[in-house]
Amino acid sequence: MTRRLLLVLLILTGCRTADVAPLPHDDPDEAAAYFAAKREGTDDRFAAYAKARTAMRTLQRVASNAESTEPFGKWTFLGPGNVGGRTRVLIIDDARPNIMYAGGVSGGLWKSDTAGASWAPLGDDLANIAINALAIHPSNHDILFAGTGEGYFREEQRGTALPLRGDGIFVTRDAGATWTQLASTTGADFDYVNDLVVTPTHIYAATRTGVWRSNDEGATWTRTLATTVKGGCLDLAQRGGNFLFASCGTFEQATVYRNQNAQSDGAWESVLSEVNMGRTTLAIAPSNPSVIYALAASNEGGIYNQALLAVYRSTQNGDPGSWQAQITNKSPDYVATLLLTNVYGATNNVCRGSSQQNFYTTMGWYCNAIAVDPTNADRVWIGGVDAFRSDDGGRTWGIASYWWEREDYPTYLHADQHAIIFHPDYDGATNKQLFFANDGGLARTDDALAELAPKVVSSACNPSASQFRFTTLNNGYGVTQFYHGSVSPDGRTYVAGAQDNGTLMGTYDAGPNEWRRALGGDGSYNAIDPEIPTTVYGSSQVGNIYRSVNGGLGWKSVRSGLNDDFLFITPFVMDANATTRLWIAGRRMWRTNDRADSWTQVSAVLPAQVSAIAISPANSNIVLAGTNGGHIVRHDNATSPTLNASTQWSNRQPRAGFVSWIAFDPIDANTAYATYAGFGGEHVWRSTDAGVTWSPIGSNLPDIPVHSIAVDPTRRERLYLGTDLGVFVSLDSGATWAIENTGFANVVTETVIIGQGHYGPAVYAFTHGRGAWRAELVFPGPKRRSVR
C-alpha cells in the first residue's frame, strides 16, 4: 500500500490511536487581539478600506495563469464545505422552501436549492461580502435584498479592530445570479444594515442611524425613526403591512418602538424601555399577532452585564404598559438566568466539582435571537450561546443544545446562535423543522417539539438530558476562517488552522465536504513532511505544537523545552532541505533537529515577537525571521550546533509594523520577499542579498494589510499576495500589482503558497472567511500528463 493511499484511508476511516492530543477551547478575545495587531497604523479603518477599494477599481485585472483557458487557471474550492463559520442570517423562500439563502459575516452570500443539502456562493464580485441581513420580496421571490455590515460592535468587544463595515444594500432580480448595489445606500447611513423588512410596496432598513423606508424599491429613502443611541436600530418585527416594531440601542439604554402606520407617515412611539435594557430582539407570534416577545440583554454591571436582563411579553399588540417580564436575571431558576450566558462556564462548580469556580461569559450583545412557534404563541425559542425553549410563554426554560459536547453528539449545536427560523410549512405535526444560524454555520432539527432537558441545574452537565437531535447543513457552505495552511507533496492532502475550529484536514479524494477536525482550540501553523507525508505537524494558540505520525489521527504534544513569549498565532516552519529540522519562535529562536522531540534555544532575546520565519531553499544555514515590530533578523550559520541562548542574530528594520510573511525565491536563493500587515508604509519588500538589505517594491499596491507572498517557480517574475481584500498578482517581480480576476472573492486571505496541482505547480489560498482554494499555474498542453 502506498503512503498516499494509507494516509487517505486513515483520514477517511477516522481511526484513532491512544496517543491523542487534548482539544483545547478557542480563545476569542486573544484571537481578536492578534487580528487587531495585524491592522494597526490608522485611526480610521473605515476610510482606509474605502480608499483601498477605490484604488482597486483603477488596477489591471489578470488571471492567475494568463496562458490558460477554462477550466484551468480558475480557482477551485477545496473546502471545508462541512465546517461552516460565522453566519448572521438565514432565510427560506416560503413559496419554494427548498430554496434558502444564508450570509456569512466574512464569507459572503450563499444559496441552496436543495433545502440545505448543498450550497453555492453568490455575488463573489460584490464590493462588500460582510452579509448581515437578507429579505425576499413577497411579490416576486426572485428579488432578494442583502444588507451589509456587522453592526454589533464586535470590533470593540473582541478588540479585533477590524470593523466589518458594510457598503449599503445590494439587490438581485434573478434569484441571485447577478447583483447590483442600491446607489442610494452608499453613504454612511447604510454602513451597517442590521435588519431588513420588505413588503409588497415598501422596504425598511434598520441601521446605526435609525429606521429608513423606501417606497420605490430602494431608489430613494426616508428616515422615519432617527436615533443617536449606540448601535442605532438593530432589529425589526413586522405585523401586516403597516404595523412595525423597531428595537434600538446596545451598550446604552435600549428602547422598543412601535409604528402602527409605518407605510405612511405614522408616528413612532416608545412602548418598552426598562432600566439597564441593552440589545433587545423581537418576535411576533404568527398564530396570534397580538402576542409580541422581547429578549433583552442587561447593561448593568457584575456577572449579568450583557447577560439576560429579562424576557418580556405583551399580549396587547405591544401597547405601552402591556409588557410583562416573564423571567429576569433575578429569577430563582438559575439555568433560565443564563439564556445569554455561556452555560458551560456558569455551571462549572456543579458540573466539574464544587472546588471549581464559575466563570461568566456573557454574550447578549452578540448572540441574541428569539422566535415563536408558528402554531403556539406560548412556545418560544431563544438562541444565546446555546439554544433554549419555553413552553409556557417564557416563564420557564429548558436546555435544548450543548455546544461543548463532541461534534458528532446528537445534542451538539455549534455555539453562538444568531438566527432561528421555522420551516415555512411548519405545522407542529407533519413538519417540525427548525433551523439555526450560528458561529459554526447552519444546522437543523427535525423535531422542534422534542423533550427538553429537565429544568434543574444538573441538566447543564449532561448532554444526554435533552432529547434533541441537530444536523449540520454545512454541505458546501465554505465560510471557514483560516489562519494558515499546508499541502502535501502530491497536492492531495490539506491541513489548515482555523479560528474557533482547530486544525482541520481534508483530501482531494474525499472532496470539500469531508474535512475533519484533527486538533482543537484556535488552529495555527502546520506542516506536512514531504519525505514522510504521514508525519504531520499542527498547533493551537501560543505555540502549542503537536506531531502526528499516522496522518493526523493521533497526536503527541512536542513542545518539550519551549518556554517563550509566543504570538497568539505562532509561526513555525519545516526545513525543506532536512525535514527533521523545524523552527519556531517567540522572543527567541528555537530549533529542533529530531522532529520536535526536543527543542534548543538558538538566539538571544530578539527585539520583538517573531511573526514570520523562512529558510533558504538553497542553504539551510540562512534563516530569516520577521517580528511584529517590523524587524527582520538573520543568521547565515543557523544550523550550527554552537548556537545557543546567547547567540546574536543580525537585525534590520526596513520599517515599523507587523512582518506577516517572508518567502525566498525558489530559483534565485539571493532573492527574498517580506510582507507587512497593518496600514501605512510600503507593504512588500525585496532583498537581493539573501536578507541582508531590503527595498520596497510595488508603488501601486493599495494601502491594506498584506499577509503573505508566494513566488511562481515556473515564472519567477510572477508573484501572488494574500491581502485583506483578496489576492493580488504581479507579472513583473512586484514592480506593479493587479487584481486576481479568475473568480476569487474580496475576502481576507491569510496564506498563499505554491504547491502541486493537476499539471504542475498551483497557487493555494487559505482565507479567513471562505475556506481553502487552488488555482492551476501550468497550462495543460497536449504533451503534459496530469499527476492525478
Side-chain angles (χ1 to χ4, degrees):
M1 181 180 293
T2 67
R3 287 176 177 170
R4 186 176 71 189
L5 180 58
L6 173 62
L7 177 58
V8 171
L9 288 175
L10 286 169
I11 292 175
L12 292 181
T13 54
C15 299
R16 293 288 186 271
T17 73
D19 189 16
V20 177
L23 300 180
H25 297 302
D26 60 286
D27 289 319
D29 292 337
E30 290 80 359
Y34 172 82
F35 211 68
K38 298 182 74 175
R39 287 158 183 86
E40 294 179 347
T42 179
D43 294 328
D44 190 348
R45 292 178 179 85
F46 298 144
Y49 284 114
K51 184 178 180 180
R53 290 190 177 97
T54 299
M56 288 172 64
R57 298 188 186 106
T58 68
L59 296 184
Q60 180 186 1
R61 293 177 177 268
V62 300
S64 289
N65 180 358
E67 296 177 358
S68 67
T69 57
E70 293 186 19
F72 304 98
K74 290 288 189 181
W75 287 97
T76 299
F77 177 61
L78 303 178
N82 59 322
V83 174
R86 277 200 319 127
T87 303
R88 274 286 180 188
V89 59
L90 169 70
I91 59 172
I92 305 173
D93 187 334
D94 58 13
R96 301 167 292 187
N98 280 345
I99 296 178
M100 302 177 177
Y101 300 91
V105 171
S106 57
L109 279 160
W110 294 76
K111 179 180 180 179
S112 173
D113 56 11
T114 58
S118 60
W119 293 86
L122 302 174
D124 274 357
D125 57 347
L126 294 180
N128 190 289
I129 60 171
I131 306 302
N132 194 55
L134 293 170
I136 296 173
H137 198 294
S139 302
N140 183 346
H141 289 214
D142 286 338
I143 299 176
L144 179 72
F145 296 90
T148 60
E150 187 185 28
Y152 304 99
F153 297 95
R154 188 174 187 268
E155 72 274 16
E156 291 185 10
Q157 291 300 109
R158 289 297 189 217
T160 64
L162 178 66
L164 288 170
R165 193 184 88 168
D167 199 10
I169 300 172
F170 295 81
V171 62
T172 177
R173 303 185 186 279
D174 50 18
T178 61
W179 293 83
T180 57
Q181 185 185 41
L182 294 179
S184 56
T185 65
T186 58
D189 287 321
F190 292 87
D191 283 344
Y192 296 93
V193 181
N194 298 317
D195 203 2
L196 289 170
V197 165
V198 181
T199 75
T201 57
H202 291 76
I203 309 171
Y204 302 94
T207 81
R208 278 194 178 176
T209 59
V211 177
W212 295 78
R213 182 188 68 215
S214 174
N215 59 6
D216 51 14
E217 296 196 349
T220 61
W221 294 83
T222 300
R223 182 163 55 181
T224 65
L225 175 60
T227 181
T228 58
V229 69
K230 186 168 185 175
C233 295
L234 295 106
D235 201 32
L236 299 173
Q238 178 207 9
R239 194 189 80 181
N242 255 345
F243 218 89
L244 189 67
F245 290 88
S247 173
C248 307
T250 183
F251 302 111
E252 294 180 358
Q253 180 60 50
T255 302
V256 175
Y257 298 92
R258 183 183 66 180
N259 192 327
Q260 300 184 71
N261 191 18
Q263 290 190 356
S264 300
D265 291 318
W268 289 93
E269 60 177 331
S270 170
V271 294
L272 176 64
S273 188
E274 297 293 329
V275 175
N276 291 322
M277 195 165 86
R279 183 187 169 194
T280 301
T281 51
L282 304 168
I284 299 173
S287 63
N288 183 356
S290 297
V291 177
I292 302 100
Y293 290 89
L295 168 63
S298 172
N299 286 335
E300 64 182 302
I303 64 172
Y304 289 112
N305 182 43
Q306 298 310 315
L308 177 73
L309 177 67
V311 177
Y312 299 98
R313 169 174 147 137
S314 169
T315 59
Q316 300 173 44
N317 304 303
D319 289 346
S322 70
W323 297 83
Q324 299 295 318
Q326 303 297 92
I327 191 168
T328 73
N329 58 30
K330 304 301 189 292
S331 168
D333 182 352
Y334 182 67
V335 171
T337 68
L338 304 176
L339 294 176
L340 298 178
T341 299
N342 183 345
V343 176
Y344 180 89
T347 57
N348 202 34
N349 62 356
V350 172
C351 298
R352 283 158 287 280
S354 58
S355 63
Q356 300 297 311
Q357 184 175 356
N358 287 342
F359 54 94
Y360 298 89
T361 305
T362 54
M363 303 292 290
W365 62 275
Y366 178 64
C367 45
N368 182 322
I370 186 167
V372 186
D373 187 310
T375 66
N376 186 337
D378 287 334
R379 186 171 294 124
V380 192
W381 280 84
I382 277 178
V385 177
D386 269 311
F388 302 81
R389 192 186 75 205
S390 171
D391 297 326
D392 57 8
R395 292 188 295 275
T396 62
W397 295 85
I399 302 172
S401 71
Y402 294 79
W403 72 266
W404 46 268
E405 192 38 277
R406 295 193 325 267
E407 294 175 22
D408 59 350
Y409 205 81
T411 54
Y412 170 82
L413 182 66
H414 198 287
D416 299 350
Q417 313 309 312
H418 301 302
I420 305 172
I421 305 294
F422 287 91
H423 192 283
D425 296 331
Y426 179 96
D427 59 11
T430 61
N431 186 313
K432 295 183 282 185
Q433 288 189 345
L434 181 62
F435 298 82
F436 298 85
N438 53 45
D439 274 6
L442 305 164
R444 182 191 72 225
T445 179
D446 290 323
D447 185 4
L449 303 182
E451 187 175 345
L452 297 160
K455 297 170 184 176
V456 294
V457 175
S458 59
S459 293
C461 316
N462 180 15
S464 299
S466 165
Q467 299 305 304
F468 272 86
R469 301 292 181 267
F470 297 97
T471 301
T472 179
L473 299 181
N474 296 328
N475 305 303
Y477 186 60
V479 296
T480 303
Q481 296 173 314
F482 283 135
Y483 288 118
H484 183 264
S486 302
V487 182
S488 63
D490 61 3
R492 303 181 79 93
T493 300
Y494 329 111
V495 55
Q499 181 178 341
D500 291 348
N501 286 296
T503 298
L504 306 176
M505 296 188 68
T507 67
Y508 174 83
D509 298 271
N513 289 322
E514 295 295 334
W515 286 54
R516 67 177 183 85
R517 190 182 192 194
L519 287 168
D522 283 285
S524 186
Y525 273 62
N526 41 78
I528 301 175
D529 189 328
E531 295 181 359
I532 310 174
T534 51
T535 296
V536 183
Y537 297 85
S539 64
S540 60
Q541 55 265 45
V542 290
N544 287 298
I545 186 171
Y546 301 90
R547 183 185 67 217
S548 171
V549 296
N550 57 4
L553 301 175
W555 296 85
K556 176 183 178 181
S557 175
V558 287
R559 62 166 296 156
S560 177
L562 291 175
N563 180 22
D564 207 341
D565 181 16
F566 294 110
L567 279 177
F568 180 78
I569 299 299
T570 306
F572 77 84
V573 297
M574 178 183 292
D575 187 343
N577 306 308
T579 61
T580 60
R581 184 183 301 122
L582 293 92
W583 291 83
I584 195 170
R587 286 295 302 275
R588 303 158 183 84
M589 300 295 297
W590 299 80
R591 186 188 66 205
T592 176
N593 295 318
D594 55 13
R595 292 192 169 91
D597 282 337
S598 62
W599 292 90
T600 301
Q601 182 180 337
V602 291
S603 82
V605 176
L606 301 174
Q609 291 171 294
V610 170
S611 50
I613 306 172
I615 304 164
S616 170
N619 184 353
S620 295
N621 276 311
I622 299 177
V623 175
L624 304 176
T627 76
N628 61 352
H631 314 85
I632 298 178
V633 300
R634 180 182 186 274
H635 208 289
D636 58 10
N637 194 21
T639 66
S640 170
T642 64
L643 270 61
N644 56 42
S646 300
T647 301
Q648 297 295 322
W649 287 49
S650 65
N651 174 26
R652 299 287 187 275
Q653 190 180 26
R655 52 156 288 193
F658 190 112
V659 180
S660 51
W661 201 267
I662 301 176
F664 279 92
D665 185 312
I667 307 301
D668 180 1
N670 287 320
T671 299
Y673 297 90
T675 63
Y676 283 76
F679 293 92
E682 302 292 340
H683 291 280
V684 184
W685 293 70
R686 180 172 60 214
S687 171
T688 57
D689 51 15
V692 177
T693 60
W694 296 87
S695 300
I697 59 175
S699 59
N700 73 328
L701 186 68
D703 182 14
I704 51 174
V706 175
H707 305 294
S708 54
I709 187 168
V711 184
D712 185 340
T714 65
R715 290 159 294 189
R716 52 183 295 267
E717 74 280 358
R718 188 162 295 191
L719 309 176
Y720 306 89
L721 286 184
T723 79
D724 260 5
L725 294 176
V727 173
F728 288 73
V729 180
S730 175
L731 308 180
D732 53 15
S733 298
T736 60
W737 292 92
I739 297 173
E740 207 293 323
N741 194 36
T742 54
F744 202 77
N746 295 324
V747 62
V748 174
T749 304
E750 292 278 1
T751 298
V752 288
I753 57 173
I754 304 297
Q756 180 63 48
H758 277 283
Y759 299 93
V763 60
Y764 288 80
F766 294 87
T767 75
H768 201 80
R770 287 296 303 274
W773 296 76
R774 180 178 66 197
E776 304 294 332
L777 297 181
V778 177
F779 177 69
K783 295 183 180 180
R784 190 180 299 277
R785 186 170 61 185
S786 170
V787 298
R788 294 286 181 263

